[in-house]
Amino acid sequence: MNRRSLFASAPPDPFHAGAMRSHPSAAALLALVVASALHADPALDNVYARSSTSLNGKWHVIVDPYENGYYDYRHVPYDAAEKPTGGYFLDKQQKDKSELLEYNFDTSPTLTVPGDWNSQEAQLLYYEGTLWYRTRFDAKKSAPDSRLFVYFGAANYRADVYLNGKKLGTHIGGFTPFSYEITALAKETGNSLVVRVDNTRHADAVPTVNTDWWNYGGLTRDVLLVETPSTFISSHRLQLKKGTADRIEASVQLDGPQRQQAFRISIPELNVTSEGQTDANGVARFEFPVRGLALWSPENPKLYQVTFNTATDHMSDKIGFRTIETRGSEILLNGRPVFLRGISIHEENPFRGGRAYAPEDARQLLGWAKELGCNFARLAHYPHSEHMARVADEMGVLLWEEVPVYWTISWKNPDTLANARTQLTDLITRDRNRASVIVWSVANETPVSPERTAFLKTLVDTARAADATRLVSAAMEVHADPADANHKIVDDPFGEFTDLLSFNEYIGWYDGAPDKIGRVHWTIKYDKPVFISEFGADALQGWHADALTRFSEEYQADLYRKTIAMLEKIPQWRGTTPWILCDFRSPRRPLPHVQDGWNRKGLIGENGTKKMAFGVLQEFYQRKAAEAPKP
Ligand code: GCB
């Protein structure tokens, strides 16, 4: 086909033949993407307490492996033109029978939002690439001067967002929320919202190409149309002042034309109110005493209704108050030593399959953790949905939250570092008012090198600058003594910068057989609380054999028994999150009839049935809970 002749009479196209010099260079395109990724609309925290309409539901989709909807035939993005002539984001409809149009959202299939595409459609199970989503919605405002935003809980991995044919921006990072203001662009009826989601893995991305979990793509969390007053409370932060249990520190940010206003914070149940004034930037800081506060803990997950008021906006949040710190090798919760009886969790729903996203999913997963006897959970290996932290607040489960700096990241690439920092900051901004969250984790199993330690140190500094009240850690690795296979050494130089000395170990699974566990002895370099962020073994639920047979429930249960006995001999051991609550999908696990694409280290199988090791850990946690000093 002579493509040139086909386009000969088309409307002028600046990127068409003859206009080569006006093509944006690769560097300019990258700058465009980075600029739009950094393009910040006002933060919208506490989004579920705001006035909003759900845009969840069936969205029309076009699977676009060759990205015809994004690039023209010279591979230049349509949206780089000032007045794009093509691109699926224009959401065109054929006007007359002669018009050539090779896509049509209205007649395309649908997928449910929120939800990954892989688990909704068998043909998309392994799909990695671009998929276009389109929904239509009306946007009738309740007041003429109110403002409108579209909010995305998460889109994995890159999202290009368009409203009524205009680009709102690009967001990078698969697990953190983002929003765009659409006040000027939205119409009362018939808005077209198009999102190109691309889950292609990249070596310089966060995470990188190599992970042990499924790369679920799509609009994986809630999409909301949010309405705010013209000047509104765009973010808030309120918790106990560091080092005290009776003083509250708060800060708020207003966005809009009337930034300077009187501001009031109240906690009616405690009979406290604090008043202040926002400055020219819309910021106000508060500090006030509280009396008779019931501190939040797993045993008593007390939350208080807190209200935030200005003349133009009001908002409320349910917030718990607790302290967390370390002293030598102790972890102190509300000033008392605590042992973290934990479990690691991937955000997957074993019954429905695929990425979990709903409050009910959070209740299911954290409910199992409670049944196991946990007071703690590690939300591995990326930010889970906001519902997890909110449900943990209600149920009384302490949390470790993590960013996907996993295995081999491009340590020397400044863009990779900027990306990781943004993901970490966005996670902290979203969950910094949740009492359940006590640990920000900046990485998992990263290979020791000066570049990696500098990269992670920057993340630690970022976390501490954003939130000085929580602990910072990372799941590190154990080093072997070349002279003695049973001698395990914990000496990662990064351990100097973390509050917990957390590491993963797989003695008896990747490292020898279970009989090795009893022979191991440890050298631990730092006087910090030792936290075992992973141990475990694969077991196919329902498959029984002797304790030396790999993949049997007996092997896994025996490994748990032996590991617990070994860990109890480490004097500074203060908690663990064994790997993992439920079996989860992983393309790294092909063994037929045993793994079939699942990592089988769950204590619960793919169908929700518990394995023997669940009972072993439960028994240990019951004992630890009984031994714990009563509050
Ligand atoms: C690890 C990783 C985790 C894997 C696990 C395994 O060390 O942190 O993501 O899934 O081991 O099963 O190998």
Side-chain angles (χ1 to χ4, degrees):
M1 177 169 67
N2 181 347
R3 306 219 31 185
R4 220 160 268 275
S5 66
L6 241 177
F7 281 80
S9 60
D13 174 355
F15 298 123
H16 201 207
M20 285 304 284
R21 251 170 287 127
S22 67
H23 285 197
S25 66
L29 282 177
L30 188 75
L32 207 123
V33 166
V34 171
S36 57
L38 296 179
H39 153 78
D41 276 326
L44 277 177
D45 66 357
N46 198 20
V47 73
Y48 295 102
R50 297 176 187 275
S51 159
S52 71
T53 311
S54 169
L55 298 180
N56 293 345
K58 299 269 183 212
W59 290 43
H60 285 281
V61 300
I62 301 174
V63 183
D64 190 14
Y66 279 30
E67 303 191 292
N68 296 320
Y70 188 70
Y71 292 107
D72 69 11
Y73 83 117
R74 295 300 191 216
H75 213 250
V76 175
Y78 284 112
D79 66 15
E82 209 175 303
K83 287 206 173 115
T85 52
Y88 295 172
F89 53 88
L90 295 179
D91 189 13
K92 278 197 177 166
Q93 264 128 20
Q94 200 188 31
K95 285 201 199 69
D96 61 68
K97 63 184 180 187
S98 318
E99 189 184 6
L100 174 62
L101 209 52
E102 292 186 88
Y103 70 95
N104 184 346
F105 276 109
D106 288 342
T107 53
S108 291
T110 59
L111 286 176
T112 300
V113 173
D116 62 86
W117 60 62
N118 315 73
S119 64
Q120 290 191 55
E121 169 57 57
Q123 285 179 7
L124 297 178
L125 179 63
Y126 286 98
Y127 183 64
E128 293 186 301
T130 281
L131 186 143
W132 295 83
Y133 286 88
R134 201 273 336 255
T135 192
R136 291 247 165 85
F137 65 92
D138 297 342
K140 292 207 177 62
K141 299 200 288 189
S142 60
D145 66 342
S146 65
R147 296 166 65 180
L148 295 173
F149 296 83
V150 276
Y151 171 92
F152 297 85
N156 190 34
Y157 169 79
R158 167 184 164 146
D160 294 273
V161 185
Y162 308 84
L163 185 77
N164 301 330
K166 297 264 175 351
K167 187 156 192 171
L168 300 175
T170 300
H171 181 264
I172 286 175
F175 304 96
T176 41
F178 55 99
S179 58
Y180 296 104
E181 178 157 16
I182 58 166
T183 313
L185 273 181
K187 303 180 290 186
E188 283 222 332
T189 55
N191 292 287
S192 155
L193 179 61
V194 175
V195 190
R196 166 192 183 240
V197 183
D198 179 4
N199 72 335
T200 306
R201 287 168 292 128
H202 296 284
D204 287 338
V206 182
T208 179
V209 286
N210 199 18
T211 67
D212 186 23
W213 70 83
W214 210 267
N215 181 25
Y216 292 114
L219 294 177
T220 49
R221 294 187 189 147
D222 293 330
V223 184
L224 304 173
L225 172 66
V226 180
E227 183 177 7
T228 70
S230 71
T231 299
F232 71 103
I233 305 163
S234 63
S235 71
H236 70 304
R237 174 199 171 116
L238 184 129
Q239 53 196 193
L240 282 176
K241 183 181 164 130
K242 193 175 164 67
T244 77
D246 59 1
R247 283 192 81 74
I248 283 178
E249 212 175 45
S251 62
V252 295
Q253 167 81 59
L254 291 183
D255 188 271
Q258 288 169 262
R259 291 184 178 216
Q260 253 174 316
Q261 290 193 43
F263 203 105
R264 195 172 68 242
I265 294 178
S266 306
I267 310 178
E269 204 182 327
L270 291 171
N271 224 353
V272 281
T273 293
S274 182
E275 294 185 346
Q277 188 82 24
T278 51
D279 65 16
N281 297 318
V283 176
R285 294 199 164 76
F286 299 80
E287 197 184 310
F288 52 92
V290 276
R291 279 158 165 234
L293 192 65
L295 293 177
W296 185 101
S297 70
E299 296 75 32
N300 179 30
K302 170 71 189 163
L303 300 175
Y304 290 92
Q305 195 77 33
V306 185
T307 60
F308 301 81
N309 288 289
T310 68
T312 57
D313 195 13
H314 57 89
M315 189 170 86
S316 72
D317 199 356
K318 279 169 131 185
I319 299 181
F321 302 97
R322 51 104 197 91
T323 65
I324 189 76
E325 63 201 304
T326 61
R327 193 177 305 143
S329 64
E330 291 296 348
I331 304 169
L332 304 177
L333 175 68
N334 297 328
R336 308 166 76 98
V338 62
F339 182 89
L340 301 177
R341 309 186 305 270
I343 190 72
S344 295
I345 301 178
H346 258 299
E347 196 172 28
E348 285 189 33
N349 177 317
F351 297 117
R352 194 182 54 236
R355 190 56 77 232
Y357 49 75
E360 300 73 53
D361 296 330
R363 276 192 198 100
Q364 175 75 64
L365 294 168
L366 295 173
W368 272 326
K370 291 283 273 191
E371 191 183 337
L372 193 56
C374 293
N375 59 3
F376 187 69
R378 172 182 179 205
L379 305 186
H381 279 301
Y382 39 76
H384 289 207
S385 79
E386 182 174 340
H387 300 303
M388 285 293 266
R390 290 205 172 261
V391 170
D393 259 16
E394 282 167 22
M395 291 177 77
V397 182
L398 295 159
L399 293 181
W400 157 309
E401 295 201 334
E402 184 166 330
V403 288
V405 175
Y406 183 91
W407 291 353
T408 50
I409 290 283
S410 293
W411 307 114
K412 293 182 197 162
N413 185 333
D415 292 340
T416 307
L417 178 59
N419 181 345
R421 289 185 73 187
T422 304
Q423 295 194 41
L424 180 62
T425 312
D426 289 352
L427 170 64
I428 294 175
T429 304
R430 194 193 69 184
D431 286 351
R432 63 190 170 184
N433 293 319
R434 304 283 73 82
S436 52
V437 181
I438 55 166
V439 181
W440 303 122
S441 173
V442 301
N444 179 74
E445 287 188 353
T446 53
V448 176
S449 75
E451 294 81 13
R452 160 276 201 179
T453 303
F455 186 111
L456 297 191
K457 169 73 167 57
T458 307
L459 295 184
V460 168
D461 293 345
T462 303
R464 294 202 196 281
D467 174 20
T469 70
R470 290 177 172 81
L471 310 180
V472 179
S473 197
M476 290 175 268
E477 288 179 323
V478 175
H479 297 123
D481 179 349
D484 176 0
N486 296 321
H487 183 201
K488 300 288 169 193
I489 303 168
V490 181
D491 62 351
D492 187 327
F494 182 59
E496 194 186 316
F497 306 115
T498 60
D499 296 308
L500 301 179
L501 195 58
S502 323
F503 54 88
N504 301 347
E505 61 86 1
Y506 280 92
I507 306 160
W509 186 254
Y510 295 122
D511 178 4
D515 64 325
K516 178 170 180 178
I517 299 171
R519 295 195 298 271
V520 163
H521 56 106
W522 296 86
T523 299
I524 294 172
K525 191 176 155 187
Y526 304 91
D527 177 30
K528 294 190 178 188
V530 163
F531 183 83
I532 311 299
S533 30
E534 288 179 31
F535 71 85
D538 283 61
L540 180 63
Q541 185 276 316
W543 193 61
H544 295 282
D546 62 76
L548 287 176
T549 305
R550 294 263 177 179
F551 298 106
S552 71
E553 284 204 31
E554 284 73 7
Y555 189 112
Q556 188 191 38
D558 182 53
L559 180 138
Y560 267 68
R561 273 187 214 101
K562 291 191 161 93
T563 302
I564 290 165
M566 169 190 70
L567 295 177
E568 286 202 285
K569 291 190 200 129
I570 301 178
Q572 58 199 94
W573 184 38
R574 294 296 172 265
T576 182
T577 45
W579 195 251
I580 184 169
L581 184 66
C582 298
D583 289 358
F584 59 97
R585 275 199 183 276
S586 170
R588 291 173 63 88
R589 310 290 171 178
L591 187 65
H593 315 301
V594 178
Q595 294 177 314
D596 296 316
W598 291 79
N599 183 312
R600 298 286 183 202
K601 294 191 187 69
L603 296 176
I604 296 175
E606 120 200 28
N607 52 7
T609 307
K610 296 180 183 96
K611 305 178 194 174
M612 288 166 64
F614 187 99
V616 175
L617 188 62
Q618 188 181 44
E619 213 180 290
F620 170 62
Y621 282 167
Q622 280 164 356
R623 170 159 69 77
K624 283 305 271 188
E627 279 169 18
K630 294 283 159 280

